[in-house]
Amino acid sequence: MSLRRCSRTACGRSAMNTLTYVYADQTAVLGPLSTYAEPHAYDLCDIHSERLSAPRGWEVLRLAADKSSRGPSSDDLLALADAVREAARPPERPAPIHSTDDPRRGEKRGHLRVLTSD
């Protein structure tokens, strides 16, 4: 049972679905209840989800919940692990470029040079 309530005024039923809008595509997307309440999404009960209509010219996409799924899939976990590994990887530093014509000019970094005090 959901702890979140339907976003519709005066409805006290438990939220079962989340409604989001893609304004650029004129699309309303109704899918399973999101993990977290988002400020630009609407949580709806089953009754209000069934009665949902969109403005003229808009498309409504209804994404069915996978009832057999009880948590993240192995693909979700692998994607999460890859993202964590990528975030933990230290950034690659380019090899320094040294001036060969005058050793006193120092290391070149982009359009600037680091001058050494010898």
Side-chain angles (χ1 to χ4, degrees):
M1 181 148 185
S2 171
L3 298 176
R4 297 191 333 235
R5 298 282 175 209
C6 182
S7 297
R8 295 294 302 256
T9 304
C11 181
R13 290 184 283 279
S14 294
M16 302 304 281
N17 298 294
T18 298
L19 172 67
T20 57
Y21 293 100
V22 182
Y23 292 97
D25 297 334
Q26 293 185 333
T27 304
V29 181
L30 182 69
L33 188 64
S34 62
T35 306
Y36 300 103
E38 297 291 334
H40 300 290
Y42 302 91
D43 296 333
L44 300 175
C45 65
D46 281 335
I47 293 172
H48 286 116
S49 296
E50 290 173 15
R51 294 180 184 169
L52 176 73
S53 64
R56 186 178 314 220
W58 281 57
E59 181 181 3
V60 177
L61 293 178
R62 295 178 187 269
L63 306 175
D66 183 6
K67 301 292 184 190
S68 65
S69 175
R70 292 193 167 247
S73 70
S74 60
D75 288 341
D76 294 335
L77 295 175
L78 288 174
L80 179 60
D82 288 342
V84 169
R85 272 191 229 105
E86 183 67 28
R89 184 177 302 152
E92 293 182 21
R93 295 186 66 194
I97 301 171
H98 294 283
S99 174
T100 56
D101 58 334
D102 186 358
R104 292 175 294 155
R105 295 188 64 178
E107 180 180 323
K108 182 178 179 182
R109 293 185 183 170
H111 66 281
L112 302 175
R113 293 195 182 274
V114 177
L115 301 177
T116 57
S117 58
D118 291 334

